[in-house]
Each structure stands twice: as structure tokens, then as C-alpha cells.
Amino acid sequence: MAVTGPDDNPLGERRPITIANVPWEDFSDPNEPNRPEGPLVRWLVDPASGNRVMHVKSAPGRKAEPHWHLSDTLYIVTDGEFLVEGEPLPYRKGDLRWVRGGFAYGPESSGPDGAEDRGGSRGPDDKIHPHEHPPPLGRWDRRRRFYDIGECS
């Protein structure tokens, strides 16, 4: 969706956006042409604004490859179960997950009943593969995490 005039854009700023009225789209990633279908997304802020805010619905057992983002990212689980390899517990309805931009994580997957979350970041819709572009803050599989030692390392 392209940014239009301030009064024309249904995802424009400073206006109510009724989430249930925003259509679901099949998320596609041109960097992963052979990946399985899904997840479904509702863009809640126009991606052309330079920010990423979305509602995501993943099918049961769906997996996403390890990746990292340029900006800090928040997820609020609204249904089901969201799992991330290397993190201590699954995230369930009502849980918030925060990931610092520049730190690689994953793979992530949805639980047996799928998962839904709302979240985003103040930054581009990026998904960077750690095997191709090393993350500046490290990787989940090569670093002790703050919850293992009581502080951020």
C-alpha cells in the first residue's frame, strides 16, 4: 500500500483504524522464494511510512528461519502459542516479547493451535538472515543470554 494524501489513506496517522476491517494478506518475502505459504498479515500502519506495525496469524506448527531486524521489535501474543528457539518459555496470549534490533534469533514457530500477535517496530520491514549478514549484537546460538546469567552480556 502506498502512502497517499493524509485524508486518503485508510492506514493514515491520527485516525481510528478498525483492525477487524483491515484485510488479511499472504505475507511474501522476495528473499525467500521457496518458503511455505503464510503467515497472514494485516498491515496496521502503512509500510511506506517507514514503520512496521502488523497483526500476524500463523498456521499451527509454521516455522520461520532465523533472522534479525534493524530496529527493536515488540510482539504482543493475542492467541495461541509462539515459540523461539533458545528462549526459555513459549509466549502465550497476553505475553509481550521484545527483541533488540541487531540481535539474531530463531527459528521461531507457532504452537499446535497456531499463533497470532500484534507488534512491530519504528523502522523498516526488514528480515535479515544472520548467515548472510552477521548481526551486530550477536546470535542466539553463540551467546549467553541475560536470563541465563542475570544481566545482559
Side-chain angles (χ1 to χ4, degrees), residues 74-91:
L74 293 174
Y75 303 78
I76 300 170
V77 178
T78 58
D79 201 16
E81 191 173 78
F82 181 71
L83 302 98
V84 183
E85 183 179 299
E87 296 184 18
L89 299 171
Y91 297 88

Side-chain angles (χ1 to χ4, degrees), residues 118-138:
R118 292 188 183 135
S121 66
R122 292 189 61 202
D125 180 31
D126 57 355
K127 184 173 152 191
I128 303 168
H129 296 277
H131 307 304
E132 297 171 14
H133 304 285
L137 296 182

Side-chain angles (χ1 to χ4, degrees), residues 51-128:
N51 298 299
R52 179 187 57 203
V53 180
M54 61 182 87
H55 182 187
V56 179
K57 183 190 294 189
S58 295
R62 186 177 189 298
K63 292 191 179 221
E65 295 296 317
H67 60 278
W68 60 281
H69 303 284
L70 294 170
S71 302
D72 288 11
T73 303
L74 293 174
Y75 303 78
I76 300 170
V77 178
T78 58
D79 201 16
E81 191 173 78
F82 181 71
L83 302 98
V84 183
E85 183 179 299
E87 296 184 18
L89 299 171
Y91 297 88
R92 294 186 174 96
K93 184 175 182 175
D95 290 344
L96 181 134
R97 177 176 183 253
W98 167 55
V99 181
R100 191 181 307 267
F103 184 78
Y105 62 89
E108 58 189 24
S109 61
S110 54
D113 296 322
E116 287 190 37
D117 67 82
R118 292 188 183 135
S121 66
R122 292 189 61 202
D125 180 31
D126 57 355
K127 184 173 152 191
I128 303 168

